[in-house]
Amino acid sequence: MPPSAAEPSRHGFRHASVLLDGAVDALVHDAGGTYLDGTFGRGGHSRAILERLNTEGCLLAIDRDPQAVAAAGSLSDPRFTIEQGEFANLGDIARRHGLHGKLDGVLLDIGVSSPQLDDPERGFSFLRDGPLDMRMDPSQGESAADWLARARESDIAHVLKTYGEERFAKRLARAIVTRRAEQPFLRTGDLAAVLKAAHPAWEKGKHPATRAFQALRIHINGELEQLDKALSAALEALAPGGHLVVISFHSLEDRRVKRFIREHVRGDTDLPRGMPVREEQLAKRLAMLGKAQRATPAEVEANPRARSAVMRAARKLT
């Protein structure tokens, strides 16, 4: 995520919040308001939000990664609270804090964070050998190694094709299943090497395992399903006039965000053609706040992971 400055984590891995100023500008419209950061990460956005708030403002943050929640211990501010949890459950979390339907803004920064990618022990990256885990919360669910050990070839191919948009998904799935019959996959470097050997062609400047690792990570963490639930929950948790700001990092996420906002900007379009209706009968619930924003060249230079970032923002009407 990009710069003001990169935040060091408690393990030494640095994290730069993408679209920092643009996201906070779009989110904070009342300095005395109540806001929710659904993806704390290492707190770049949260710290910037708190800088914009006065003494009456407050911020509730969420992250499913226990390391991110632990890192929040360095943020000592009476206006700030954090909970460990999935952002799909932000509605329930807001209710527990008495904030449901009262939030002035919700920020969702989707995907994996820099510290997760940079720490080999988390198993997210093919560039650094480590345990093949990929779980954002290592205490929950099934690791990538466990799933690859039991999944059918057709299911592996489906995941690689659907979540990685990998053209050679069937070929790579066959290579995985063939190799695991001899020895299970336990390390990221091992899986990356098999994918590289099996891949017949890849994009210039992109590692042949890129799309497969993305697909496995999305599947293991249920990221797209989480996003769909979080968007709906955020809309209900916002107060009328509240702002929803979402930063996504690849087209699968951005298409979902764009569709969600567009559907609620248009309202009910299933009414019979020619039926006279008043504006309020269309049940429009959102108004777009400007056009989609992308990282500036300076941001991309400082943080190459910002290259694919897209930010969309909307205001709740009712």
Side-chain angles (χ1 to χ4, degrees):
M1 307 172 180
S4 84
E7 292 287 343
S9 79
R10 61 193 291 265
H11 297 285
F13 303 106
R14 299 190 72 81
H15 175 73
S17 299
V18 172
L19 290 163
L20 182 68
D21 291 334
V24 178
D25 287 344
L27 182 74
V28 180
H29 56 99
D30 177 1
T34 302
Y35 296 88
L36 185 147
D37 181 353
T39 43
F40 179 79
R42 290 303 181 268
H45 286 118
S46 284
R47 287 178 173 85
I49 292 166
L50 289 167
E51 288 176 0
R52 304 285 185 94
L53 301 183
N54 61 28
T55 56
E56 301 301 316
C58 64
L59 174 64
L60 171 63
I62 302 169
D63 207 293
R64 69 195 293 189
D65 187 336
Q67 289 186 9
V69 176
S74 65
L75 207 172
S76 179
D77 190 313
R79 301 169 299 169
F80 174 76
T81 306
I82 188 166
E83 275 206 25
Q84 183 179 347
E86 298 173 348
F87 66 11
N89 298 325
L90 70 84
D92 292 336
I93 293 172
R95 282 189 184 91
R96 287 203 296 273
H97 290 265
L99 300 176
H100 195 263
K102 300 177 182 179
L103 292 170
D104 294 294
V106 173
L107 171 65
L108 302 175
D109 188 359
I110 312 303
V112 66
S113 69
S114 296
Q116 289 169 331
L117 284 171
D118 292 340
D119 184 354
E121 294 303 308
R122 303 301 302 273
F124 286 104
S125 176
F126 47 80
L127 298 176
R128 300 170 179 84
D129 184 50
L132 186 57
D133 194 311
M134 295 193 183
R135 289 173 293 175
M136 291 184 178
D137 180 354
S139 69
Q140 300 290 325
E142 186 175 35
S143 71
D146 289 342
W147 185 76
L148 285 176
R150 68 164 181 82
R152 295 181 301 179
E153 182 179 325
S154 60
D155 291 336
I156 297 172
H158 173 74
V159 165
L160 300 187
K161 178 68 174 178
T162 303
Y163 299 139
E165 300 178 300
E166 172 57 70
R167 287 190 300 153
F168 301 101
K170 290 183 178 180
R171 183 190 293 250
L172 299 186
R174 170 58 59 88
I176 289 171
V177 170
T178 300
R179 212 319 286 282
R180 82 177 181 195
E182 305 169 4
Q183 180 182 351
F185 289 97
L186 300 176
R187 309 286 297 181
T188 57
D190 185 21
L191 177 59
V194 169
L195 292 170
K196 183 176 181 180
H199 210 298
W202 55 88
E203 300 165 57
K204 184 178 179 181
K206 183 174 285 191
H207 193 285
T210 300
R211 292 182 179 274
F213 266 65
Q214 171 188 295
L216 289 170
R217 189 203 83 218
I218 290 173
H219 172 69
I220 290 300
N221 293 289
E223 291 179 37
L224 297 183
E225 295 82 1
Q226 288 271 322
L227 175 58
D228 289 339
K229 291 177 181 178
L231 291 170
S232 296
L235 180 58
E236 300 306 322
L238 284 167
H243 291 190
L244 172 65
V245 179
V246 186
I247 301 170
S248 56
F249 286 82
H250 57 73
S251 58
L252 292 174
E253 298 166 341
D254 184 53
R255 283 199 292 268
R256 276 174 151 77
V257 176
K258 183 179 180 180
R259 182 174 64 243
F260 178 85
I261 292 176
R262 184 178 60 218
E263 287 175 353
H264 289 285
V265 166
R266 289 179 176 175
D268 188 353
T269 57
D270 293 330
L271 295 171
R273 182 172 295 179
M275 174 181 287
V277 293
R278 295 189 301 274
E279 185 79 6
E280 59 269 22
Q281 289 178 293
L282 291 173
K284 296 180 179 182
R285 303 198 66 194
L286 290 173
M288 284 192 290
L289 292 172
K291 297 180 179 180
Q293 288 188 32
R294 294 186 177 272
T296 64
E299 255 188 321
V300 173
E301 184 177 357
N303 179 13
R305 290 172 182 159
R307 184 177 295 109
S308 60
V310 181
M311 186 192 82
R312 298 183 185 275
R315 176 172 54 85
K316 182 175 177 178
L317 299 175
T318 60

